[in-house]
Amino acid sequence: MSGWVWVVILNGITAAAYLGIVLFIVRGLMRTGQLRNNRLAVATAAIFLTCSAHHLLHAVHLAAAVGGHASHLDSGAGTVDAMRESMGGTADVVVTASTALAGVIYLGMRRFYGALLGSPSMFDDASEARYRQLAANLPHTTVLVVDCDLRFVLVEGAELVAEGYDPRRMEGQLLRDTVTPEVYAQLEPHYRAAVAGDETSFDTVSSRTGAIFQVKARPLRDSSGTIVGAMVLSEDVTAEREARTELEQARAFRDAVLTASPDITTVTDVGTGQVTWASRSLRSLLDGPPEEGPPDGPSPNLRFGRSDDLDDLDDLDDLEAPEDRLDGAVAEDIGVVRAADRQAASLPEGESVTIRYRARAADGSLRWLSRRTTPFRRGPSGEVAEVLSVVREVTDVVEAELALERAALQDPLTGLPNRMLLLDRIGSAIERGESTGAAAAVLFCDLDGFKRVNDTGGHAAGDAVLVEVARRLRSVLRANDSIARVGGDEFVLVVDALPAERGSGKLAGAGLAERVAERIRAVLAAPIVYQGSQYVVSASVGMVLVRKGASAQEVLRDADSAMYRAKQLGKDRIELFDDALRANALERAYIEQTLRGALDPEHRGAATLTVAYQPVYDLGSRALTSFEALARLRDDDGAGITPGRFIPVAEDTGLISELGERVLDDALGTLVRWRAAHPRGSGVGIPVTMAVNLSARQAQHMDMAAVVGAALGRHGMAPEDLVLELTESVLLESGSSMLRQLGELRELGVGIAIDDFGTGFASLRYLATLPVSAVKIDRSFTATMTSDETSSSIVRAIINLARDLHLGCVVEGIETLAQLDALPSSVQGQGYLLGRPAEIPSNTWVS
């Protein structure tokens, strides 16, 4: 078969194909009712129709030319001439012109319609322009339409440009040819599922920008329900996902904080008082976590009666207790909680109100809760509708505060009021007395012999005795009277509203007060038994009748002064405060004030504390051997106060330790300067030492080894340079601790001298066992040794005893030549005859 026959056949096939397209377009337009409206589709059909006619006409002409000139088929020139004649007719010209015209019209309309020609949705009711406009206006969303072969028919979305795609170039392209193999492997299953009739949704992350896209694909159907492709919506949800992640992290952090916190956070409706939200159950705060199941945490939270935006949690229908609606407050404290809510609702933002209230635990016990409340949510009109509270259990804190309060006002051993509460009660008694005219009495009791109880039975026995004494003293009082423990073995009784006694010659109420004091002596007379041992104590009682206008401090001071006199007069007795005692109390107050001012480096007054030094000489060689440091006190006016007056006050007020350390420091510093000014060889033989007195209270209440060691170290002195002088009575009454410290000091080389030797009791029996290095014979024996043979014998006996025990011996109070001549040369001497105390020590014999 010749080539021209094949040309005829192919033109016929082409014409048939174009005609098929025309029929497809016309059928679609008729089915969708767009035959008159979709001009682009009609124009397209016209083009294909003219093209079909053109090819058909070519085929007819060529066939006619071939048939009419069969004899010339072997001649190509003849065939061409025949075709020119057949194709140059009027019909051919009309067909060709119509084809050109249809093409021009189509090109003119193409600019308005775009590329819908290949779309199976070209016959939809909505026009392409409107569809594209809608797709283009969707924020952060890309719209893609694919056919069943996954060929892009429509692509709209600015995000594609950022991802490196050209939407216009994508249209008409297959998905496989448009994206990378990795992306295709991810997208293809979902696209296939959509064109198969399933709706899918998935996330994809851009490898180029890191943006997160939420992709939704669904089937696209024609009017008959046939799937003709798929519509894909790709939305950029990066910001949303980041915000959601941050929100989830914030919630996780909040949940972790609430779980770890011992507190509970609640939201309360101000109007109803109901707890509308809680981070966890109040029961977990009061009773602890349950024994089984997950531990209490912030989820699920308690929410009652409504849904709010505080958290996305389900409501709980079962309340653990009715109290949960009012933060668990007991009935008596509900008003406190409601008042706090109302007060918080009136506060500015950022301020809060804190209360404490009680709640009852499952075991019935009461627990204390602390609740800090602040405004939380406002209503439509701006008023605070809800308040937020942080609740924590503070039972231990409250109990500790109550214990501290009791400790501040109550003696822990006996349960009696202490000094602070006592002063308050004395003040109340004074006020009642001023209003009623009735007197009140205050009795200050100090136990006699209590130290022996501790020494023999230990502190446990001492505590037992104090408890029993407190019980007995309480038994002698009436219901309105008071008792307090103000010291180790000191008790004070306040006998209130005493009736005045007329015609008895006594002060108002004194008779009844004395009878109370006598009953005190009576109840303390019976032995106190503890662990099989009997202990007997008595009391020295000072009594004062409260006078009008006095303060509680003054009354207590006056009673203490009366007790002190009872002690001085023999103990186990009662002394009534009088004017003489008042004068003594005033003097003691004056001395205390002066002493405190002199010891205070910042005191602006003129009171001064100085140290005078009295020399001690060897009576044989008349060489200076030592100085004794003596404290001197002057008041603001320059008047001197003797040691006999201010030392007892210093001991009673606790100032003796500070005073002693001050004297010790000054004395060692003076000795350093004196030695520098008087080196050995300048009339000074043996090293001169310094003697410093220790009082009874000072020796009992200070760490002597530590204080003395520190003072020696500050001044670079050796232990052998210092002698500590203690009275014989102090040494005899010393406990084991004090004797141990003295022994340690003696082993270091510090000298220990017994001052005023011979005036105490049982001196000889204890002398060999006490850690002493010297004795000082009391001046009372020296004063009478020349006129009284007994005193002279005692002095000689002490001197011989000291020699036999290898102890140093110093005779005090040498004031006359006769006394000096009566003493052997083997001892040391001290007195006005040899040298008076002076602030600047001298090494000159002044006799």
Side-chain angles (χ1 to χ4, degrees), residues 8 58 303 431 478 696:
V8 172
H58 279 198
R303 297 206 325 182
E431 292 177 359
R478 302 165 301 172

Side-chain angles (χ1 to χ4, degrees), residues 686-710:
I686 61 173
V688 176
T689 61
M690 180 66 70
V692 179
N693 291 278
L694 285 180
S695 72
R697 187 69 61 91
Q698 183 183 5
Q700 293 170 2
H701 292 86
M702 82 177 208
D703 186 349
M704 289 184 293
V707 172
V708 171

Side-chain angles (χ1 to χ4, degrees), residues 712 718-723 743-752 773:
L712 291 172
E720 293 80 6
D721 296 329
L722 177 65
V723 176
E744 293 174 356
L745 289 172
R746 186 70 194 98
E747 289 179 1
L748 290 175
V750 176
I752 307 295
S773 58

Side-chain angles (χ1 to χ4, degrees), residues 82-301:
M83 287 185 63
R84 285 176 178 175
E85 292 176 3
S86 65
M87 293 178 63
T90 302
D92 191 34
V93 173
V94 172
V95 170
T96 302
S98 65
T99 302
L101 180 61
V104 172
I105 294 174
Y106 175 79
L107 289 175
M109 299 179 66
R110 178 68 170 81
R111 56 180 296 195
F112 297 105
Y113 281 87
L116 271 182
L117 289 177
S119 173
S121 60
M122 63 179 290
F123 306 116
D124 287 351
D125 292 339
S127 66
E128 177 197 5
R130 293 169 60 189
Y131 192 84
R132 285 187 180 276
Q133 183 180 14
L134 175 63
N137 289 330
L138 291 176
H140 307 293
T141 302
T142 298
V143 180
L144 306 104
V145 177
V146 297
D147 59 17
C148 292
D149 295 329
L150 305 188
R151 185 185 303 275
F152 290 107
V153 177
L154 183 142
V155 180
E156 283 289 343
E159 282 74 15
L160 288 172
V161 177
E163 298 298 325
Y165 296 101
D166 185 350
R168 292 295 174 262
R169 289 182 178 273
M170 291 176 63
E171 293 180 355
Q173 298 291 321
L174 291 172
L175 174 65
R176 180 189 302 275
D177 300 332
T178 306
V179 298
T180 62
E182 295 79 7
V183 176
Y184 178 78
Q186 180 185 12
L187 300 181
E188 190 265 345
H190 299 283
Y191 279 53
R192 291 292 182 193
V195 298
D198 297 330
E199 293 189 5
T200 63
S201 178
F202 61 96
D203 286 353
T204 180
V205 180
S206 170
S207 60
R208 181 172 183 177
T209 63
I212 303 172
F213 295 93
Q214 184 182 46
V215 183
K216 296 180 181 180
R218 61 171 182 162
L220 190 63
R221 303 176 187 270
D222 60 15
S223 59
S224 64
T226 303
I227 297 176
V228 294
M231 176 178 289
V232 181
L233 300 177
S234 177
E235 181 181 2
D236 186 348
V237 294
T238 306
E240 175 187 344
R241 295 298 170 81
E242 290 178 351
R244 181 180 298 177
T245 300
E246 291 178 359
L247 178 60
E248 291 175 352
Q249 291 176 347
R251 287 181 174 176
F253 177 76
R254 183 207 64 191
D255 290 348
V257 171
L258 293 176
T259 299
S261 173
D263 305 335
I264 290 179
T265 302
T266 65
V267 176
T268 305
D269 187 285
V270 177
T272 63
Q274 291 184 353
V275 177
T276 58
W277 182 91
S279 59
R280 57 189 171 95
S281 168
L282 179 65
R283 288 288 144 224
S284 66
L285 187 66
L286 297 176
D287 306 322
E291 295 182 358
E292 299 179 356
D296 280 325
S299 194
N301 296 2

Side-chain angles (χ1 to χ4, degrees), residues 397-448:
V397 175
V398 173
E399 290 179 351
E401 290 176 353
L402 293 175
L404 289 175
E405 183 178 346
R406 287 192 297 269
L409 301 175
Q410 193 176 60
D411 171 48
L413 177 63
T414 63
L416 298 177
N418 62 10
R419 179 183 294 268
M420 184 179 298
L421 186 55
L422 170 68
L423 292 173
D424 180 72
R425 294 187 175 180
I426 293 177
S428 299
I430 294 173
E431 292 177 359
R432 286 192 295 272
E434 292 178 349
S435 62
T436 63
V442 175
L443 293 82
F444 199 115
C445 306
D446 185 272
L447 300 184
D448 305 320

